[in-house]
Amino acid sequence: MLKGRPREFDVDAALDKALHVFWKHGYEGSSLADLTEAMGINRPSLYAAFGNKEELFRRALNRYLDKGPGAAKREALEEPTARAAVERLLKCVATLLTDPCNPRGCLSVQGALTCGEASESIKQELNRRRSEGEQALRQRLERAKVEGDLAPDADPAALARFISTITQGMSVQAAGGASREDLFRVADMALRAWPG
């Protein structure tokens, strides 16, 4: 069996660069030329390492959710109380959405808001991922209710939807230029609605 030439680039570093392109421009707004230029590779290398643009996006999204903002959200849900978990989640979101090292906003919210039919599978993938995040929060809140950490009349599903709506709105605000302090104030206002 013949061995192919070894890759002459760092796949993880290239994936991080692709992630930033998708994060800044969305799925459809990121051309193959933009991606290969940012990654420092040619198209054949992109196809050999990542398949096609859609597969590259999925891998970049996985990296975003596993090691970036998604990891911070999962860690927040490990806080000892539901309120502390939601507070940490909101503060982490505000911090990450306005990190000067990254594009503003959230890849999973903005990555495919305006996609044509050709990109419908990417739009559905992002919808599914956001739904999974809301489901994880709902499960954390249901556990809190069982443990007596959440008011007996609280509705974990509605509360998870409310918090998800706030975080997604914060993403849109950050992309529009809202400061970290602006988003912290939004988080504080959302916490005032916490069930007693």
Side-chain angles (χ1 to χ4, degrees):
M1 184 167 112
L2 293 173
K3 282 186 160 184
R5 267 183 38 200
R7 288 199 178 105
E8 297 177 7
F9 65 94
D10 180 333
V11 173
D12 288 335
L15 189 56
D16 286 338
K17 291 174 182 171
L19 168 59
H20 273 78
V21 173
F22 285 128
W23 196 344
K24 183 174 184 180
H25 300 291
Y27 178 74
E28 283 193 349
S30 299
S31 70
L32 284 174
D34 294 335
L35 291 162
T36 54
E37 181 179 343
M39 296 165 78
I41 62 175
N42 58 31
R43 283 186 190 204
S45 294
L46 184 147
Y47 293 133
F50 302 105
N52 57 23
K53 178 182 170 184
E54 184 173 330
E55 186 56 32
L56 174 61
F57 180 83
R58 289 178 195 282
R59 286 185 60 182
L61 179 61
N62 286 340
R63 191 166 190 83
Y64 177 84
L65 295 173
D66 291 343
K67 298 184 183 202
K73 290 178 183 180
R74 280 191 309 280
E75 290 168 9
L77 296 182
E78 295 173 7
E79 287 289 329
T81 67
R83 190 179 193 293
V86 169
E87 181 173 9
R88 181 171 173 188
L89 172 67
L90 292 171
K91 299 293 176 143
C92 283
V93 165
T95 300
L96 294 167
L97 293 175
T98 57
D99 183 341
C101 296
N102 295 317
R104 294 178 67 88
C106 175
L107 174 63
S108 64
V109 172
Q110 297 160 217
L113 285 178
T114 57
C115 277
E117 285 183 29
S119 303
E120 184 63 25
S121 66
I122 293 296
K123 185 176 182 178
Q124 293 306 317
E125 176 77 10
L126 291 171
N127 286 341
R128 183 180 66 77
R129 300 290 186 108
R130 287 191 304 272
S131 180
E132 287 173 356
E134 184 177 320
Q135 171 81 359
L137 178 57
R138 183 182 62 74
Q139 289 172 346
R140 174 64 182 90
L141 296 173
E142 285 172 346
R143 188 181 95 211
K145 189 170 180 177
V146 168
E147 294 170 350
D149 179 40
L150 196 58
D153 61 343
D155 182 343
L159 190 54
R161 174 65 50 99
F162 171 71
I163 297 301
S164 295
T165 301
I166 296 296
T167 61
Q168 291 168 21
M170 289 168 72
S171 174
V172 173
Q173 290 291 313
S179 71
R180 184 169 293 173
E181 293 72 28
D182 292 335
L183 298 183
F184 279 156
R185 283 193 288 275
V186 169
D188 289 340
M189 290 184 75
L191 288 167
R192 286 188 208 130
W194 189 257

